[in-house]
Amino acid sequence: MCLLPAVNARAQATESFLGMQIQKAPHSGLWEGPTDYSTNLKPTGVVKAVMLFALFPDTVIKEVPRDIYNRLVPESQAFLGRVSGGQMQLKVDTVDQWFPMNHPTTWPGYDCSGFKTQKAYLAEVISKAAGQVDFHKYDVVYVVGSLGTGLPNSPTFIASPGDGIKVNGAEVRLGVTFGRDCRGANWGWQTLCHETGHIFGLPDLYLFGVPAKPYKNIHASVGFWDLMGFQAVGSPYLAWQQRKLTWLKDKDFAVIARGTKPITVWIRPILSSDRKGYAAAAIPISDSEAIACEVRQRDPVDTNPADTGLLVYRVSLKAESGHGPITILPAAADDLVPAQERKFITLYNALYTAAATIELKQEGVTISILGRREDGAIQIRVAH
Ligand SMILES: [Zn+2]
């Protein structure tokens, strides 16, 4: 889940993004402003990856590479194709064998707690596969380690140009080392799509450095509403993040600047196959913060348009990955029974599902929900 990018001071940008004049990215580059594609990967067209399997000497193998591939890849391909509206396709080749590693999972040199050790682990697998794989052909290298006691979770590897792993004239800069977590129940393909989201420049939306008990503390900002938060539910990325991924454009948002006349618009469900009309509203409240709203269903497998509601959230371009760049402003507090809490963790009642007036006094924004169409679209009036 965590991310270990190479530190890369980013040049100043002055791009216009959803009505905001962007001054500068934070240090790590993983934020809610425009993505720096000199380091991260643009998720359009065919994204080519290769998946390799690392066998550590301290494991007794009970898995075969093909089963791991099937656990992680096909549903990821379907998810990314669907949420991108067909704008990207993930292609994953594999070498259907284990590559034996020199050291056990407990060897500190593989611990993946820092860029150097993760690079060393990846570099060993890549060098062992170099006779069978032409790494020039791939944007991303996925490595799945065999399940030993020291195997860490699944961090993403992002190296700046020049800092990657050199192999036969190619440079591998982007990858994921899959570990223990992707074997958990409901924690398979979602892990691949979460980590690949980092490769595409998305920040973590769960919170770093907060007490883990109760567990919902970690997910207090966005809960399960975006795969970069609590991932098990498999929710699509929020509309703001889809703008960042370039799957949505500025024109897909009703951008409502301060001081304009109140505006009334329809917002379509985020995963609607009919992509006409607005996918979300963006209401900048400063050059680094905005309110956004979009039409969602709580459960991503639910296709009943009667179940849609309005999800309202605050976006901060000042907050870095893991420090609350997005905070959902829920319609109501949780009233979860234990089974629901296990599945959804928190922010279960975040959607506004009926006519309502949402007054954000501090931000000077009022959002009124006026009506709903048969296709699940919701009409809002925004005064700012
Ligand atoms: Zn993450």
Side-chain angles (χ1 to χ4, degrees):
M1 293 282 283
C2 63
L3 174 75
L4 306 158
V7 170
N8 178 29
R10 186 177 186 276
Q12 277 218 338
T14 52
E15 199 170 331
S16 173
F17 188 82
L18 291 172
M20 302 161 89
Q21 287 306 314
I22 307 303
Q23 308 272 310
K24 166 180 167 189
H27 193 56
S28 75
L30 293 179
W31 67 324
E32 292 300 343
T35 304
D36 177 0
Y37 291 120
S38 69
T39 302
N40 293 101
L41 181 66
K42 194 167 186 179
T44 53
V46 178
V47 169
K48 297 191 193 107
V50 62
M51 183 172 277
L52 305 172
F53 302 90
L55 176 61
F56 297 98
D58 59 330
T59 50
V60 179
I61 331 174
K62 294 178 182 159
E63 303 166 303
V64 296
R66 180 51 54 178
D67 288 345
I68 297 171
Y69 177 94
N70 287 338
R71 175 175 179 75
L72 297 177
V73 176
E75 285 181 84
S76 293
Q77 291 170 318
F79 174 85
L80 292 167
R82 188 171 72 251
V83 299
S84 71
Q87 294 179 76
M88 79 150 277
Q89 186 192 345
L90 178 67
K91 189 169 179 296
V92 186
D93 291 341
T94 183
V95 182
D96 200 9
Q97 68 171 80
W98 293 103
F99 290 99
M101 300 296 285
N102 296 341
H103 305 279
T105 55
T106 49
W107 188 57
Y110 294 147
D111 81 353
C112 294
S113 65
F115 181 77
K116 274 191 181 169
T117 50
Q118 190 181 24
K119 184 176 177 181
Y121 167 25
L122 262 172
E124 187 181 325
V125 184
I126 286 167
S127 77
K128 287 179 171 165
Q132 289 160 266
V133 177
D134 177 1
F135 287 95
H136 290 93
K137 285 165 52 183
Y138 299 106
D139 304 305
V140 178
V141 174
Y142 295 131
V143 169
V144 186
S146 62
L147 194 53
T149 51
L151 193 69
N153 284 335
S154 304
T156 306
F157 177 79
I158 302 174
S160 302
D163 283 343
I165 297 157
K166 316 290 190 308
V167 52
N168 294 337
E171 183 183 16
V172 175
R173 290 197 305 105
L174 302 168
V176 181
T177 50
F178 290 97
R180 184 162 292 279
D181 48 356
C182 71
R183 270 81 171 198
N186 302 320
W187 217 260
W189 67 268
Q190 299 95 325
T191 305
L192 189 148
C193 290
H194 176 105
E195 302 305 330
T196 306
H198 289 313
I199 287 173
F200 298 152
L202 298 182
D204 274 316
L205 300 185
Y206 65 92
L207 299 172
F208 300 169
V210 300
K213 287 188 179 171
Y215 182 54
K216 64 183 178 185
N217 284 347
I218 292 171
H219 294 287
S221 286
V222 303
F224 60 90
W225 291 98
D226 185 298
L227 204 69
M228 302 313 288
F230 178 67
Q231 65 187 32
V233 175
S235 292
Y237 306 115
L238 290 161
W240 189 281
Q241 302 234 97
Q242 292 196 34
R243 169 65 187 89
K244 188 174 157 53
L245 293 163
T246 74
W247 298 339
L248 295 175
K249 317 290 187 222
D250 274 11
K251 69 178 172 55
D252 296 310
F253 285 73
V255 179
I256 301 150
R258 191 186 294 280
T260 51
K261 282 187 190 164
I263 184 169
T264 301
V265 289
W266 285 97
I267 308 290
R268 64 170 170 78
I270 190 75
L271 286 187
S272 165
S273 54
D274 180 356
R275 291 174 73 87
K276 287 198 292 288
Y278 291 123
I283 310 159
I285 53 175
S286 74
D287 264 351
S288 58
E289 288 176 296
I291 301 296
C293 53
E294 64 192 73
V295 173
R296 293 283 294 264
Q297 277 140 300
R298 182 187 289 134
D299 202 319
V301 299
D302 180 0
T303 54
N304 183 357
D307 293 341
T308 58
L310 193 73
L311 189 67
V312 180
Y313 51 96
R314 187 184 179 109
V315 182
S316 169
L317 304 194
K318 288 189 288 195
E320 293 202 43
S321 183
H323 296 278
I326 293 183
T327 304
I328 283 172
L329 308 174
D334 281 336
D335 56 356
L336 293 162
V337 299
Q340 289 170 323
E341 186 165 342
R342 272 195 299 280
K343 179 171 180 186
F344 293 102
I345 306 297
T346 188
L347 293 170
Y348 185 73
N349 293 325
L351 291 180
Y352 288 89
T353 55
T357 297
I358 305 150
E359 268 195 82
L360 304 170
K361 287 206 176 105
Q362 206 184 325
E363 294 82 1
V365 174
T366 303
I367 302 164
S368 305
I369 299 174
L370 304 180
R372 177 201 298 272
R373 275 194 324 235
E374 273 186 6
D375 65 356
I378 289 178
Q379 189 182 38
I380 58 169
R381 180 177 184 272
V382 179
H384 184 201

